[in-house]
Amino acid sequence: MKLEDYFDFYSANDIRLKGHRVGIENILDYYLEGYTPEEINGNLPSLSLEEIHATITYYLHNRPQIDTYLADLTEDREQRYQEFYVNPPAIVRKLQAEMARRVTKKR
């Protein structure tokens, strides 16, 4: 089995473990924080140790590309957060207004 056979490459910004909805970034975030494969497995029990080791090995063999992949994901998440913060959906604005009303009412 080739290392790439463990993954589904949906797009340049979406690599997941085959048969799971888990992206490689979920495993690698733990790994880069210093978690062992066994600790990662404790946090992501639906994955086998083999899948976790395969992801780490894939990262180590493709570090420059995967570091770019992870940085792009982080940048995309931050951009979406900023967009949400500046222009939240109507339901969020409604909840914020209700919370402000309740705080004002208590004073």
Side-chain angles (χ1 to χ4, degrees):
M1 176 179 249
K2 294 187 316 183
L3 202 50
E4 289 79 6
D5 292 341
Y6 284 93
F7 311 104
D8 285 321
F9 297 85
Y10 290 110
S11 72
N13 290 324
D14 192 5
I15 305 171
R16 300 183 197 181
L17 273 305
K18 196 172 288 283
H20 300 276
R21 293 172 33 181
V22 176
I24 64 169
E25 67 276 5
N26 300 115
I27 296 166
L28 295 177
D29 286 345
Y30 283 118
Y31 174 72
L32 294 171
E33 288 180 16
Y35 285 67
T36 66
E38 292 76 17
E39 290 170 327
I40 296 169
N41 185 242
N43 287 301
L44 300 170
S46 66
L47 302 178
S48 69
L49 276 174
E50 180 180 349
E51 292 168 320
I52 293 167
H53 282 284
T55 303
I56 294 168
T57 302
Y58 182 76
Y59 169 70
L60 294 173
H61 285 183
N62 300 282
R63 184 174 268 174
Q65 298 92 330
I66 300 304
D67 282 342
T68 299
Y69 170 85
L70 295 172
D72 289 347
L73 286 177
T74 300
E75 183 179 319
D76 182 56
R77 286 182 186 145
E78 179 62 24
Q79 179 182 357
R80 284 186 286 136
Y81 172 76
Q82 291 301 326
E83 290 169 2
F84 176 86
Y85 185 76
V86 170
N87 188 23
I91 187 69
V92 173
R93 290 191 306 270
K94 184 176 179 178
L95 290 170
Q96 289 170 333
E98 177 61 22
M99 287 174 62
R101 185 188 69 74
R102 288 182 184 189
V103 168
T104 302
K105 186 177 178 180
K106 287 183 179 183
R107 290 182 185 171

